[in-house]
Amino acid sequence: MNILFAASEVAPFIKTGGLADVAGSLPPALAAAGHQVHVVLPLYEGIGEDWRRQMTFLKYFDVSVAWRQVYCGVFELVRDGVTYWFLDNETYFKRAQLYGHFDDCERFAYFSRAVLETVGQLNWYPDIIHCNDWQTALIPVYLMEERYRIPQLSHARSVFTIHNIEYQGRYGRDVLEDILGLNASYFNEDMLEHFGDVNLMKGAIIAADFVTTVSPTYARELRDPFYAHGLDGVICARESKIRGILNGIDTKLYDPATMPAIARNFTVRAPVTGKKACKAALQGAVGLNENPNVPVIACVSRLVGHKGFGMVVDVLDRIMELDVQMVVLGTGDWHFEEAFRNAQRQYPGRFSAQIMYSAALSNVVYAGADLFLMPSVSEPCGLSQMIAMRFGTVPVVRETGGLRDSVHPYNQYTGEGRGFTFANADPADLFHALQRAVDLYSSDKKAFRALQKAGMTADFTWKNSAGEYLDIYAQLLN
Ligand code: GLC
């Protein structure tokens, strides 16, 4: 099969969130199964010189953005059996931030058009075009017509993956003709129109031949107004072409036995001394008292409401009354950042607020902490709980989306499970789950080790999930 994977960010080239990790690790898994895989993304300013040096310039051409002809250059880089195409247009992509510009709609309408133009220009035609989130949501919409215009695309099928339904790409009616280059017939409730706006994600859910989301539980949750941010009706009406497939992680990269960034490598057979060294290194790195005996609770996350930080702040003082240390790493809403900075002042040596984005420090945290707190109000999949488990850090999570699918709750009678969970988005329930985890840590080392072991040996590779995607592709082409 020829598979084209389109995403607005792809690790390790450029990343703001979990989408990049998926776009960086699923395509190589598809390629490893023997398929021709191309990944296409914008050539942002933030893609470093080291990568640019490895790219080859292929060609340039014009792309239509409604009535305008706009430049597009294509650079190629081959890595891990995957061909990456970087689409170059400095007007749109030579900017410090990936998203959040006044013309985002135009930038990604351009990108979506450019993706379909590129395959023709380079004479490499995909059987499957796999698109991700609102930034590439127009591709399945455009493909509906392009299939008739370009004979080599007539058999191509589109798959659209929802990584987070909260971000939909909603714009005023006026973008339709002048920016999207679509006529008024697209502005109806069975296409792009949604409550009077143009809604790109809705268009993709309707136009794509198949829709997936990143965990089975999130697929079910999306039928519920609480999770669907206005799109529950659209989802319910198309249930038969929607499926949830749990993301994997790059288990070669996130391997405690080999990761160079951590103080001491360790394996599941003998984790204790390694974890100990990593814990001391973490405490040293973030200004916590060096104490091997108190459990370190960690959060690595964007500090925003839907990640559950409202609840964390509500019970922070109760948490700190326990004999624990806590480290929070991430940036986000100002009032959460402030609350954690205050906690650091209030609990010196016991609470550490690392208000920054740092991949390097996050690995030190995953490896050195004892408990990983991820109380998301909603979480389509979540990757950090899986990474934490790989490093023997026991997760404490709310039972939602991929957290529910990857963190099986501890059963105190059988000893089974991988972590601690709670059902309702309620601060008291969060506190109790955390308290149970802290209790087990201090009262039953053996049972706690069993939980660590269960997490470290869980299968979070892409193998099974990549197989599920390939099954869907094959069915669509049949
Ligand atoms: C989004 C979701 C997150 C998911 C990731 C990758 O960032 O919020 O839950 O893990 O996409 O699919």
Side-chain angles (χ1 to χ4, degrees), residues 17-19 22 133 163-164 214 247 302 306-307 379-383:
L19 166 63
V22 173
D133 274 355
H163 294 263
N164 194 337
V214 289
N247 287 334
R302 274 183 303 126
H306 81 250
K307 295 288 184 182
E379 194 61 71
C381 178
L383 304 171

Side-chain angles (χ1 to χ4, degrees), residues 109-136:
Y110 158 80
F111 179 65
S112 300
R113 286 278 190 207
V115 167
L116 291 175
E117 185 66 35
T118 301
V119 298
Q121 290 283 346
L122 298 181
N123 197 26
W124 183 88
Y125 291 96
D127 304 304
I128 292 292
I129 306 183
H130 190 150
C131 311
N132 298 276
D133 274 355
W134 72 268
Q135 296 90 338
T136 54

Side-chain angles (χ1 to χ4, degrees), residues 16-23 133 161-165 167 213-215 218 247 302 306-307 374 376 378-386 402 462:
T16 70
L19 166 63
D21 292 308
V22 173
D133 274 355
T161 297
I162 301 170
H163 294 263
N164 194 337
I165 208 161
Y167 308 103
T213 186
V214 289
S215 70
Y218 195 58
N247 287 334
R302 274 183 303 126
H306 81 250
K307 295 288 184 182
M374 196 162 169
S376 308
S378 74
E379 194 61 71
C381 178
L383 304 171
S384 18
Q385 80 279 15
M386 298 190 213
W462 268 106

Side-chain angles (χ1 to χ4, degrees), residues 293-295 323 435-445 448:
N293 299 318
V294 306
D323 189 16
Q435 194 174 34
R436 280 191 293 130
V438 170
D439 279 351
L440 194 78
Y441 173 91
S442 20
S443 68
D444 192 342
K445 286 269 177 289
F448 193 82

Side-chain angles (χ1 to χ4, degrees), residues 11 31 96 120 123 147 151 175 201 340 347 368 377 395 408 413 451 461:
N123 197 26
R147 275 204 270 249
V175 302
M201 186 172 273
F340 294 132
Y347 305 105
V377 178
H408 307 153
Y413 303 105
L451 278 181
T461 61

Side-chain angles (χ1 to χ4, degrees), residues 289-300:
N289 300 332
E290 262 186 54
N291 179 342
N293 299 318
V294 306
V296 175
I297 303 166
C299 296
V300 177

